[in-house]
Amino acid sequence: MELKQKYIDAITKTVSEISGEKPSQLDKFRNVGLKHFVELGLPDKSDENWLYTDLSTAFSTNWELKPKGLHRKIDIETIFTCDVPDFDTHLAIAFNGQYFDTGTDFPDGVIVGSLAKMSEQYPQLVEKYLFKAASHEQRMTNLNAALATDGFFLYIKENARIEKPIQIVNAAFGNESFFINQHNLIIAGKNSFAQIAYCDHTLSATPFFINQLTEVFLEENSELEFYNVQNSHNDTTQVSSIYVNQNRNTNFHSNIVTLHGGLIRNELRVKLLDKEANCNISAINLTDRKQHVDNHTCIDHIAPHCTSNQLYKGIYDDEGTGAFTGKIYVNKGAQKTEAYQSNKNILLTPNAKVHSRPQLEIYADDVKCSHGATTGQLDQNAMFYMQSRGIDKKEARMLMMYAFANEIVSKIKIEPLAAKIEGMIYRRLRGELSRCANCAIKCS
Amino acid sequence: MSDNLIIDKYKTDNIMLQIKDLHASVDGKEILKGINLTIKAGEVHAIMGPNGSGKSTLSAVLTGNERFQVTQGEIRYKGKNLLEMAPEIRSREGIFLSFQYPVEIPGVSMVNFMKTVVNEHRKYKGLDPISASDFLKLMRDKKELVGIDSQLTNRPVNEGFSGGEKKKNEIYQMAMLEPTLAILDETDSGLDIDALRIVANGVNKLRTKDNATIVITHYQRLLEYIVPDFVHVLYQGSIVKTGTKELALELEEKGYDWLK
């Protein structure tokens, strides 16, 4: 109770400071966010969605809530280098949730920029979508609504097919600790196609609390691929909430690879609003030491003739912990739904722990649905089989974990990115990958 | 005697494997109760016996499966103390087990698996990793030898293989590794007569005067194709009778009861 009041006071103060400071349409939602926050409070066990991830320690830090971007000019090349030679992308960067203009030229078919700025430049477009997918029932969303002042705006124009992937890099950076709130808006216009590589990254060793809210809209006949690589340091707390609204005949493909990070919560909430909307989502997390990774999905089959496919996997070592909660909700009218979900976990030590909660609620009678979860150790018979062929225990373990993770990597359709992530997973499993793999600043 | 002297002596005497008074148990229950067995290079030994007599335990102990504890006795392989070696070292030293129930390894392709295996063996011998083209050629040659379907090597190890394919895959791996001591544990179970012939044929082609084979089986049938020099009957954890291939025929006719 005390903590909640502390945040109500701090948020109220911050809201009054930031409102109108840099005018944008985000200001319209601050008081709504604050109001709902006062009602619902911080995420805790009183909310069924937050049974297995405890943010109380993270919230008890005295965070600076006021956003601090990077305002000096900076040479991107010196800060961020992408170590894939063939990975040619359109690059966009945000520091601490604030869009940073790199001067990159984007192709005609796409508008990329600061959400705050674009809400003034394209007011009708932003108004049409902003907070139309996000839900005020979610507590972290309310915090975000009250406090976020910027984020990415990405609009793929009607009929545009963006051949080169768009790479979005989030970098947390600074000498002091921040609470970062970031709001992204991604819109795939009618008949459009784009691939997005979305990277979460910390560039300095200070602790961060990152609360990202991403709203994604797929208009008729559009297709969007969203690849998220998370490689932040172990003092990072990150909650990433992605809301996706899919219209008729759309394909949404998402893939999350969590390599490093202290406490990570990924929420993916998809609404299949019209016929022939298909979503294909997958994730792998490699979690060790005292890290915690919580993947939370909710697929809402509203319209008939839609499909969804979920494959979420986790490897937990040391005292690593995690959770998977996946809900498939098939509404009464959503006949001919096909919805599948699978969660598979490997626990490498007796101290590693994962909670798996697959959930299926069906109110239609002509559907194909399945869900399943497995949690176990590496198969000892397979280990011995490999040893008996001359492979030592360590290598046998590696081969099996690598194969386990590779099922997810093979779903990445951007070839150089898949190769890169495969390499990162390989090094991560061998303990050779640091969170600084892509960073030129050797801060630690 | 020093280890080197023992190794020399085994070499002079042409002894590949010597088991002395071997006792082993699983979960505290004694299964092997004093096995004695000597195998020379070039020989084929059949081990027969009823269910539960300890045949598979013997193969598990020879390959170092940790589930089984050796409580007494000694095993010398080419003069070296076998029980001190980790399973992977035994393999690299030339021991191969064709599993009674080959294990599926999801996600690990046969090609990657075999490449890793071949290179681990080469590294142990101080050789460089095999080149891609040599490896492909080796795979092709050995596939032909055991008549295994080319498609199988692109799939994950044993995943979705039929019973017969799994057994063929074991002999295929054996062909790739050319072991000095091969242990075939119930390789005939689950095979139809054609597959049995192919598998036996593969094993026979791999036989030389320098390697030895232990054939563990219930039935005499396999021994028509892989002809043993000696037949041992394992009963309640010890070898109760040893003879030549005629013993196998006698067992087929009379069963095991007369030996008790």
Side-chain angles (χ1 to χ4, degrees):
Chain A
M1 207 56 211
E2 213 175 280
L3 197 61
K4 181 183 170 186
Q5 194 53 48
K6 197 183 108 182
Y7 272 87
I8 291 174
D9 296 346
I11 294 167
T12 311
K13 181 171 163 274
T14 313
V15 165
S16 70
E17 281 170 21
I18 56 179
S19 292
E21 200 178 74
K22 195 165 79 172
S24 82
Q25 292 189 35
L26 287 164
D27 289 337
K28 292 195 288 189
F29 297 91
R30 299 198 191 288
N31 287 325
V32 187
L34 181 56
K35 188 184 128 238
H36 284 98
F37 180 78
V38 171
E39 271 168 35
L40 296 171
L42 294 164
D44 57 28
K45 285 196 166 52
S46 69
D47 181 347
E48 215 215 332
N49 289 316
W50 288 90
L51 289 178
Y52 304 113
T53 294
D54 183 3
L55 289 176
S56 61
T57 311
F59 273 113
S60 62
T61 303
N62 284 317
W63 299 101
E64 170 60 58
L65 295 181
K66 222 181 149 186
K68 271 191 188 162
L70 189 71
H71 297 299
R72 61 190 161 91
K73 269 286 164 215
I74 189 165
D75 182 7
I76 287 311
E77 300 290 315
T78 64
I79 283 240
F80 183 84
T81 52
C82 191
D83 59 4
V84 186
D86 301 329
F87 195 36
D88 186 14
T89 62
H90 304 292
L91 181 66
I93 297 184
F95 287 103
N96 304 335
Q98 310 286 305
Y99 185 82
F100 184 86
D101 194 352
T102 57
T104 314
D105 282 330
F106 291 96
D108 286 344
V110 60
I111 299 171
V112 179
S114 141
L115 176 60
K117 220 171 173 180
M118 293 301 162
S119 76
E120 301 301 292
Q121 211 167 325
Y122 303 96
Q124 281 156 333
L125 185 61
V126 172
E127 196 180 351
K128 186 178 169 194
Y129 294 104
L130 193 64
F131 275 103
K132 294 298 188 288
S135 155
H136 285 296
E137 283 169 22
Q138 302 307 326
R139 301 181 184 196
M140 292 304 285
T141 296
N142 294 325
L143 260 173
N144 191 290
L147 296 168
T149 58
D150 203 8
F152 290 101
F153 174 79
L154 180 62
Y155 177 58
I156 323 292
K157 294 180 187 168
E158 278 185 23
N159 304 316
R161 299 192 69 81
I162 312 302
E163 297 305 331
K164 210 152 84 167
I166 298 162
Q167 188 178 15
I168 293 180
V169 175
N170 283 300
F173 183 72
N175 298 324
E176 1 162 16
S177 314
F178 300 114
F179 195 119
I180 298 167
N181 284 282
Q182 172 177 359
H183 192 141
N184 304 317
L185 193 56
I186 299 174
I187 304 145
K190 280 182 189 171
N191 306 314
S192 69
F193 165 80
Q195 297 172 308
I196 299 168
Y198 189 93
C199 310
D200 289 309
H201 211 55
T202 43
L203 291 185
S204 45
T206 41
F208 295 103
F209 194 139
I210 301 165
N211 182 22
Q212 284 179 0
L213 169 59
T214 303
E215 294 185 275
V216 180
F217 298 87
L218 284 90
E219 294 296 0
E220 258 180 63
N221 306 323
S222 65
E223 190 173 354
L224 199 65
E225 294 171 21
F226 183 83
Y227 302 104
N228 188 186
V229 184
Q230 300 180 315
N231 198 26
S232 300
H233 66 56
N234 288 351
D235 275 330
T236 310
T237 301
Q238 177 169 351
V239 178
S240 160
S241 314
I242 304 173
Y243 294 88
V244 183
N245 278 9
Q246 286 189 246
N247 286 298
R248 185 181 286 244
N249 191 29
T250 52
N251 287 308
F252 178 68
H253 181 101
S254 109
N255 185 290
I256 305 172
V257 177
T258 309
L259 297 166
H260 277 288
L263 186 155
I264 306 246
R265 157 90 162 200
N266 293 313
E267 282 193 27
L268 184 53
R269 298 174 182 275
V270 181
K271 281 189 176 144
L272 302 169
L273 296 164
D274 206 343
K275 283 179 185 172
E276 311 293 342
N278 310 305
C279 86
N280 216 312
I281 63 177
S282 54
I284 175 87
N285 58 283
L286 310 180
T287 304
D288 62 7
R289 284 176 279 183
K290 288 186 184 299
Q291 292 172 32
H292 178 84
V293 176
D294 177 352
N295 277 303
H296 199 100
T297 70
C298 179
I299 312 290
D300 196 357
H301 281 263
I302 294 165
H305 295 279
C306 294
T307 68
S308 66
N309 250 303
Q310 303 179 57
L311 178 60
Y312 274 66
K313 287 182 151 189
I315 299 179
Y316 298 86
D317 200 353
D318 304 330
E319 292 160 75
T321 57
F324 171 78
T325 306
K327 188 173 210 168
I328 301 171
Y329 193 95
V330 182
N331 285 263
K332 208 173 166 194
Q335 301 294 6
K336 303 286 179 192
T337 285
E338 278 190 41
Y340 307 105
Q341 180 193 81
S342 167
N343 174 234
K344 295 178 183 171
N345 303 295
I346 291 180
L347 301 179
L348 294 173
T349 70
N351 294 325
K353 200 156 126 185
V354 64
H355 297 274
S356 180
R357 265 205 318 172
Q359 297 172 323
L360 194 49
E361 269 185 62
I362 305 175
Y363 298 97
D365 53 17
D366 184 11
V367 300
K368 280 185 199 165
C369 296
S370 75
H371 66 173
T374 57
T375 297
Q377 288 83 42
L378 288 177
D379 180 356
Q380 292 305 308
N381 291 327
M383 291 281 288
F384 178 68
Y385 188 78
M386 287 194 263
Q387 278 182 279
S388 81
R389 296 297 184 253
I391 302 173
D392 66 41
K393 233 181 196 166
K394 195 170 158 244
E395 197 61 35
R397 246 170 81 116
M398 208 60 73
L399 265 177
M400 287 178 72
M401 289 193 288
Y402 190 61
F404 182 81
N406 221 26
E407 192 184 356
I408 301 297
V409 179
S410 66
K411 291 179 182 287
I412 299 173
K413 296 181 197 172
I414 306 171
E415 195 80 12
L417 181 66
K420 173 192 171 133
I421 290 175
E422 201 181 326
M424 286 172 102
I425 286 178
Y426 187 77
R427 284 182 290 150
R428 173 72 176 86
L429 287 173
R430 286 178 188 275
E432 292 163 5
L433 176 80
S434 80
R435 62 184 168 78
C436 301
N438 279 357
C439 177
I441 299 176
K442 300 292 176 218
C443 53
S444 58
Chain B
M1 241 192 290
S2 81
D3 270 0
N4 282 340
L5 280 173
I6 297 174
I7 291 165
D8 286 346
K9 180 161 170 35
Y10 274 71
K11 209 168 182 176
T12 324
D13 296 347
N14 208 21
I15 295 174
M16 167 116 16
L17 185 77
Q18 190 159 40
I19 302 173
K20 288 181 190 165
D21 191 29
L22 180 71
H23 291 249
S25 46
V26 61
D27 301 330
K29 188 175 178 248
E30 190 169 61
I31 308 285
L32 300 183
K33 300 165 183 168
I35 301 256
N36 291 291
L37 182 65
T38 302
I39 295 175
K40 290 187 171 179
E43 292 177 349
V44 174
H45 288 244
I47 295 179
M48 302 184 75
N51 289 329
S53 57
K55 302 190 296 293
S56 287
T57 302
L58 180 61
S59 70
V61 168
L62 285 172
T63 47
N65 191 330
E66 283 171 2
R67 275 190 57 225
F68 299 84
Q69 296 87 42
V70 173
T71 51
Q72 199 179 314
E74 186 191 53
I75 306 177
R76 292 266 164 193
Y77 168 65
K78 293 194 270 189
K80 295 176 192 169
N81 183 349
L82 186 72
L83 296 174
E84 276 178 358
M85 296 180 198
E88 62 272 18
I89 303 296
R90 300 181 195 201
S91 166
R92 295 172 200 166
E93 285 279 344
I95 293 182
F96 181 90
L97 170 64
S98 168
F99 280 65
Q100 181 178 5
Y101 304 109
V103 183
E104 298 186 4
I105 313 175
V108 179
S109 77
M110 265 307 288
V111 179
N112 271 344
F113 175 65
M114 271 336 290
K115 201 168 194 174
T116 309
V117 167
V118 167
N119 282 333
E120 289 292 338
H121 280 246
R122 289 176 66 92
K123 193 163 82 188
Y124 191 68
K125 292 186 186 111
L127 299 170
D128 286 336
I130 192 166
S131 76
S133 62
D134 285 352
F135 180 69
L136 284 176
K137 188 179 177 310
L138 183 67
M139 291 234 302
R140 204 168 45 230
D141 292 351
K142 302 300 183 186
K143 265 190 250 183
E144 224 163 90
L145 184 79
V146 292
I148 193 169
D149 185 348
S150 273
Q151 297 303 315
L152 290 186
T153 49
N154 294 325
R155 303 228 303 257
V157 180
N158 291 323
E159 207 179 40
F161 287 28
S162 71
E165 284 169 340
K166 282 182 183 172
K167 293 298 173 79
K168 272 193 201 171
N169 190 25
E170 295 294 287
I171 305 306
Y172 166 64
Q173 292 175 45
M174 178 177 155
M176 291 287 287
L177 295 174
E178 297 185 342
T180 36
L181 177 64
I183 305 158
L184 310 178
D185 190 359
E186 307 271 3
T187 296
D188 49 342
S189 69
L191 287 186
D192 59 42
I193 198 76
D194 292 327
L196 182 74
R197 212 173 278 141
I198 292 169
V199 163
N201 198 20
V203 172
N204 286 331
K205 280 185 192 159
L206 294 168
R207 279 180 69 178
T208 70
K209 64 173 179 41
D210 298 320
N211 61 25
T213 311
I214 298 173
V215 183
I216 294 172
T217 182
H218 265 81
Y219 303 107
Q220 186 267 341
R221 196 179 63 171
L222 179 65
L223 304 179
E224 285 173 16
Y225 298 98
I226 305 171
V227 181
D229 300 297
F230 298 96
V231 174
H232 310 276
V233 180
L234 192 60
Y235 182 71
Q236 290 187 349
S238 51
I239 290 173
V240 293
K241 195 168 177 65
T242 292
T244 53
K245 62 180 184 207
E246 285 74 24
L247 177 58
L249 288 169
E250 204 175 344
L251 289 168
E252 184 83 359
E253 204 177 303
K254 298 187 189 165
Y256 291 105
D257 275 351
W258 62 283
L259 289 167
K260 286 175 189 173

